[in-house]
Amino acid sequence: MASASHTAAQFEQMTTAPVPRLIARLAVPTIISMLVTSIYNMADTFFVGRLGTSATGAVGVVFSIMAIIQAVGFTLGMGGGSLISRLLGQQAQQAANEVSSTAFYSALALGLIMTLAGLGFLDPLVRALGATDTIAPYARDYAQYILLGAPVMTASFVMNNLLRAQGRASQAMVGLTLGGLLNIGLDPLLIFTFNMGIAGAAIATVASQCVSFLILLSFFLRGKSLVTLSFRSLSRRAGVYFSILKTGFPSLCRQGLASLASVALNVGAAPYGDAAVAAMGVVGRISMFIVSAVLGFGQGFQPVVGYNYGARQYGRVRQAFFFTVKVGTLVLAALAIVGYLFAPSIIALFRRDDPQVIAIGAYAFRAQCLALPLQALIIIANMLLQVTGHAASATLTSSARQGLFFLPLIVILPAFMGLTGVQIAQPLADVAAFICCIPLLARFFRRLPEDVLLAQGDMPAIPPTNTSSQESSRQL
């Protein structure tokens, strides 16, 4: 574990450094991590696309399983990370160690449960996820290896979030980036050179996740983290588990609903053939890649808000939010313009030999680009509410986009508009989610106390009164 002087120095930096510069410094590694993660997710789609339209559709189908695995990892990771950033802001070290250890070992246990349950019901599972008769064999080959890697994947997501919550974004970037680059290199080698087909893509993904796991774990074992992952610190109090799950519940809603939305999208597209399933899967991966830049920027924003909210520096919380939303909106607007203009060419990168996939995907992608800039506020609002412990509001914002609005739309619109309904359901859901966030944000900032120090100018932040670890543990 890092020394007390390092912990104090980190606290001083997070609560006094200029907010825009601090967020930018923390965000650069997380943006790189998110982009690399999205790139190697797209690499699977790109290389598997060379095997045919049905194989491409299988990647989209199995993405639902990966979303469930991510949901568990992000629930524990974001829940634990949000608590840790506030506890470190309160200088409660022992309580922070208890939370980090509990989140990590819980992730390993739940990942193992998912492995056993998924492999035990593999065939009905891929069918339930929307696989057609021609897509199902590919989906089964891909899914079985992804499920084997579930414990490692969930634990990696937790460690990544724990490091970022401490302001250790560069360390988190190293683990994800090296694993992602390995995935990109292994994909063509295993798929084509060793003739493993779609199973090779899945093995490449799991192998890269194992490498990321070992790299991230090494930071904790070598004392490069402000918190520990000690089995002795594993909590025996139900309240700690409840606090982690309660704080991380918005992530469970967001990621879990992303999985349900993916299944609903596959089911909605399936009546229009494998080309429709493949096209919508490609659009989903491309959209995720674009949004990952803002997700990375927001992940640099979260520890800044967590520390300063815990330290009661509320003026810095306001400044961080509005700065991040402004930058995110401008970035997404620029990328949306490029995506709209070159949509057919972008889709063709994945299935150049199938004009039907290109036509369906280009229309859907252009519709998505129209609503793309709105996602900046949706994402950052959810992160703000979650990291400050407003679980109910955070759950609502995380559920809105792909749950409250998308799921009804993907059922209703195709019944009246056919394939066009499938293509426009997500952008319409984005508009509705954007509108939903506005009153929740207004309520949050209306109730947030004023920061007198920030209003007076450049006066240094005053650290909060030390809170004992025992007291902070009881507050979890």
Side-chain angles (χ1 to χ4, degrees), residues 187-353:
D187 265 339
L189 181 67
L190 298 180
I191 294 172
F192 304 115
T193 304
F194 289 96
N195 295 315
M196 299 181 70
I198 194 170
I203 293 172
T205 297
V206 174
S208 70
Q209 290 287 341
C210 289
V211 170
S212 293
F213 173 86
L214 293 174
I215 294 172
L216 293 170
L217 182 61
S218 72
F219 292 123
F220 291 90
L221 297 179
R222 292 185 292 121
K224 302 296 183 180
S225 166
L226 299 178
V227 296
T228 64
L229 298 179
S230 169
F231 191 77
R232 288 174 296 181
S233 296
L234 182 64
S235 180
R236 291 166 177 78
R237 296 182 297 117
V240 174
Y241 293 88
F242 177 77
S243 294
I244 293 173
L245 293 175
K246 177 185 175 183
T247 308
F249 188 69
S251 294
L252 178 63
C253 290
R254 181 175 58 251
Q255 295 296 130
L257 288 171
S259 178
L260 289 177
S262 180
V263 173
L265 185 61
N266 292 329
V267 172
Y272 306 97
D274 287 4
V277 176
M280 298 309 297
V282 169
V283 170
R285 292 300 175 98
I286 297 172
S287 298
M288 182 184 299
F289 172 72
I290 294 174
V291 173
S292 65
V294 174
L295 285 169
F297 199 72
Q299 288 169 355
F301 149 87
Q302 280 185 296
V304 176
V305 169
Y307 263 87
N308 284 282
Y309 192 80
R312 300 181 182 180
Q313 301 298 314
Y314 301 120
R316 290 171 63 84
V317 172
R318 289 187 181 86
Q319 185 181 2
F321 173 79
F322 289 107
F323 169 74
T324 307
V325 169
K326 179 173 67 176
V327 172
T329 301
L330 291 173
V331 169
L332 287 184
L335 294 174
I337 292 171
V338 174
Y340 189 92
L341 293 175
F342 299 100
S345 299
I346 294 172
I347 301 298
L349 293 173
F350 298 87
R351 282 300 297 146
R352 188 174 301 277
D353 297 332

Side-chain angles (χ1 to χ4, degrees), residues 68-90:
I68 295 172
I69 295 171
Q70 290 176 349
V72 174
F74 275 114
T75 298
L76 297 170
M78 290 295 296
S82 297
L83 290 172
I84 284 169
S85 63
R86 280 180 276 151
L87 288 168
L88 292 176
Q90 297 167 10

Side-chain angles (χ1 to χ4, degrees), residues 34 63-82 157 160-161 164 244-263 288 291-292 294-296 298-299 301-302 375-388 390-407 426 430 433 437:
M34 292 301 299
F63 176 74
S64 304
I65 297 176
M66 297 182 69
I68 295 172
I69 295 171
Q70 290 176 349
V72 174
F74 275 114
T75 298
L76 297 170
M78 290 295 296
S82 297
F157 287 128
N160 177 54
N161 279 282
R164 286 192 293 100
I244 293 173
L245 293 175
K246 177 185 175 183
T247 308
F249 188 69
S251 294
L252 178 63
C253 290
R254 181 175 58 251
Q255 295 296 130
L257 288 171
S259 178
L260 289 177
S262 180
V263 173
M288 182 184 299
V291 173
S292 65
V294 174
L295 285 169
Q299 288 169 355
F301 149 87
Q302 280 185 296
Q375 289 199 45
L377 185 134
I378 298 170
I379 292 168
I380 304 306
N382 177 244
M383 290 181 169
L384 171 74
L385 294 169
Q386 183 172 9
V387 79
T388 56
H390 292 74
S393 296
T395 299
L396 180 57
T397 56
S398 66
S399 303
R401 180 175 179 259
Q402 292 185 307
L404 297 179
F405 299 117
F406 177 76
L407 289 177
Q426 187 63 75
D430 291 348
C437 286

